[in-house]
Amino acid sequence: MVGIVSENSVQCDTEYSTLKKVVVAKPSYMKITDVINETQKHYKNQNINVISALQQHEQFVQILKDHQIEVIQLPGQPNLHEQVFTRDVGFTINNRLFIGSMSEKVRKEETDVLRSWARENNVHVEEELPSSIEGGDIVVDENTVWVGETKRTCRTAIHELQSRLSDHQVVPIPLSGEILHLDCVFNIIDESTVILYPPAFTTNSLKTIKARYKVIEVNDREQFTMGPNVLSIGNRKVISLPQNEQLNTQLEEYGFHVIPVDLSEIIKSGGSFRCCTLPLKRT
């Protein structure tokens, strides 16, 4: 089902305010073909059990609906094996929906699906960002936009984004080479708290982040299972992988309500809850 969205309903100022409207895509054609990240290297031979992935995704979507979140499903395309990760193809900053510029050939056509949906629903999009910039590297907190400088998001695109966001501070965060996206190692879950995997960052970046936020650290194992890639849905509720017990315990100690959802099959392709959701509206 394709939802109807008016332009003025696109509004996201943070990663943690109450989620109202989100774009997803079923993992109907999910498959590891061209290996494009470190997680996929590990699971290439095992690959993806699509039936299991669909069941997990359906449960995840139902949790969103149970919390009165409008869920918009993009139409699946048989040739787009990574389409479940809708966050990467776009990102919302305030009342502006940006179309990403994908670095990997296997993912480039995913932007066409989002662009077509936006056109059909009269949602204005901003595009023509220089190659490449992906939504997984964009983390928004009010007037600050943290941007991962990775193999998927280049410095030229970051500079262009800053030129379009004159009322925001765009902060580049260089990451170690094996890190796919910023949201694999960094996530803001309220106005003063982040989840973070320290080895991914430079000393200066860590100092900048810790000067502003309290930090919940994840270890190597929980980073591999995409621990930081939780989804905040508002009111200190966080959807997280049940297998990440240490992280979930810390979240609860910090006063967050953890909603455990198993997304382990989809995670084999290198993304988790945040990757699977493109928020259009938070309040």
Side-chain angles (χ1 to χ4, degrees):
M1 182 183 75
V2 177
I4 302 299
V5 179
S6 62
E7 184 176 345
N8 62 10
S9 70
V10 176
Q11 181 71 42
C12 290
D13 298 322
T14 75
E15 303 291 338
Y16 48 82
S17 46
T18 301
L19 185 59
K20 294 293 187 181
K21 199 183 303 282
V22 70
V23 176
V24 305
K26 293 182 179 180
S28 304
Y29 306 103
M30 196 172 184
K31 184 192 303 183
I32 299 173
T33 52
D34 303 335
V35 173
I36 57 174
N37 62 57
E38 292 298 316
T39 311
Q40 288 185 354
K41 287 180 184 178
H42 187 81
Y43 290 108
K44 180 185 178 182
N45 293 333
Q46 181 180 345
N47 224 293
I48 306 298
N49 182 319
V50 173
I51 293 175
S52 178
L54 282 166
Q55 290 172 340
Q56 291 180 358
H57 192 265
E58 184 177 350
Q59 180 191 10
F60 174 44
V61 168
Q62 188 58 53
I63 291 290
L64 297 177
K65 291 179 178 178
D66 289 346
H67 286 83
Q68 291 73 55
I69 298 166
E70 181 181 349
V71 179
I72 298 161
Q73 301 259 11
L74 292 179
Q77 303 292 323
N79 63 315
L80 301 180
H81 307 304
E82 305 284 322
Q83 198 177 4
V84 69
F85 301 128
T86 54
R87 175 80 65 144
D88 296 336
V89 299
F91 49 95
T92 307
I93 301 177
N94 292 152
N95 60 351
R96 301 161 75 177
L97 175 60
F98 290 82
I99 299 283
S101 176
M102 312 303 288
S103 68
E104 296 288 346
K105 182 179 180 181
V106 70
R107 301 204 63 186
K108 287 184 182 295
E109 291 182 33
E110 291 178 45
T111 57
D112 295 336
V113 180
L114 179 60
R115 189 178 294 107
S116 296
W117 170 84
R119 184 167 53 245
E120 291 168 6
N121 291 279
N122 298 313
V123 177
H124 173 73
V125 296
E126 296 210 18
E127 44 189 332
E128 297 181 358
L129 289 165
S131 186
S132 59
I133 183 167
E134 299 185 2
D137 280 319
I138 309 297
V139 179
V140 182
D141 191 7
E142 300 290 353
N143 292 326
T144 303
V145 181
W146 305 89
V147 185
E149 191 174 337
T150 65
K151 293 178 181 177
R152 303 293 188 89
T153 295
C154 68
R155 188 168 299 179
T156 303
I158 297 173
H159 290 162
E160 172 64 20
L161 183 64
Q162 176 67 90
S163 73
R164 298 194 193 190
L165 297 171
S166 57
D167 52 349
H168 287 71
Q169 180 187 15
V170 174
V171 183
I173 302 290
L175 297 174
S176 54
E178 74 278 5
I179 300 301
L180 174 60
H181 287 131
L182 178 61
D183 66 5
C184 297
V185 293
F186 174 79
N187 201 346
I188 304 173
I189 54 175
D190 72 8
E191 64 278 355
S192 61
T193 312
V194 301
I195 304 172
L196 184 144
Y197 175 64
F201 297 85
T202 65
T203 301
N204 286 340
S205 292
L206 278 177
K207 188 180 298 183
T208 300
I209 293 167
K210 289 182 176 181
R212 178 160 174 173
Y213 301 101
K214 295 177 289 187
V215 172
I216 297 175
E217 296 186 2
V218 300
N219 57 31
D220 292 350
R221 183 188 65 79
E222 291 188 320
Q223 193 281 318
F224 182 74
T225 53
M226 299 289 151
N229 204 265
V230 300
L231 180 68
S232 297
I233 61 173
N235 300 311
R236 300 180 70 78
K237 295 179 181 178
V238 177
I239 299 176
S240 182
L241 194 73
Q243 292 91 328
N244 289 336
E245 296 177 2
Q246 180 174 311
L247 170 61
N248 293 339
T249 297
Q250 291 184 84
L251 287 169
E252 289 171 348
E253 289 173 350
Y254 272 75
F256 292 92
H257 173 62
V258 175
I259 303 170
V261 178
D262 187 6
L263 211 69
S264 54
E265 197 64 34
I266 291 172
I267 286 172
K268 291 177 181 177
S269 200
S272 190
F273 305 103
R274 188 182 189 273
C275 294
C276 291
T277 48
L278 169 55
L280 295 180
K281 188 174 183 180
R282 290 183 181 269
T283 59

